[in-house]
Amino acid sequence: MPAPARPILRAATAADLPAITALLAAEGLPTDDIAAAGVRLWLAEDAGAAGVLGCGGLEDHGEVALVRSLVTAPAARGTGLGARLLARLEAEAAAAGATAAWLLTTGDGAFFVRHGYRTAERAAAPAALRATRQFSSLCPASAHLYCKPLLS
């Protein structure tokens, strides 16, 4: 039996939004603004018939990038797919001119720490980040803030 194909990463289209919304909702992540202007989404999909295995989003705000909506389907966890998606988002952010990637999570953040993110105080967040819906209303005040410098 041949080995399963490595999931492909690609920019999401409007046709992908229902599957992405379902994946995010299943994990309790906000879906209200994923189709908003300025939110770029990527997804991981199986070349076979498994469908969407993961997704991640990015908001560019000049030198500040907000990584958001990063999730892998339960069947894809532990495969490195989340790390691949995160690396893609960081590369896209750096290519757009961001010098730092920021994110909010209600989880423990260990995944992000393993990938170079450090905790940050919410009061230290740049104004561009504080102005996002993720920061100001969609993520609870108890969400942890993380930051990672990006290399250009």
Side-chain angles (χ1 to χ4, degrees):
M1 174 182 267
R6 186 175 189 198
I8 61 167
L9 304 184
R10 66 171 176 84
T13 67
D16 299 314
L17 287 176
I20 291 171
T21 300
L23 181 59
L24 292 172
E27 297 302 319
L29 295 174
T31 61
D32 293 353
D33 68 337
I34 63 165
V39 178
R40 297 187 292 148
L41 298 168
W42 281 263
L43 60 83
E45 64 184 354
D46 187 338
V52 175
L53 297 174
C55 65
L58 186 65
E59 289 183 39
D60 299 312
H61 300 283
E63 292 185 353
V64 174
L66 176 62
V67 173
R68 45 158 313 158
S69 307
L70 181 65
V71 66
T72 55
R77 293 192 183 136
T79 65
L81 184 57
R84 283 183 61 209
L85 277 164
L86 182 59
R88 169 64 63 90
L89 296 173
E90 292 169 354
E92 294 287 337
T99 59
W102 295 77
L103 63 89
L104 291 155
T105 183
T106 55
D108 70 9
F111 169 83
F112 298 106
V113 169
R114 283 194 308 273
H115 294 283
Y117 285 79
R118 299 292 174 247
T119 58
E121 294 296 323
R122 287 179 75 105
L129 180 64
R130 289 193 311 269
T132 66
R133 284 193 63 205
Q134 282 285 303
F135 190 93
S136 65
S137 63
L138 293 179
C139 286
S142 60
H144 303 282
L145 181 64
Y146 291 85
C147 180
K148 178 181 180 179
L150 297 176
L151 303 175
S152 50

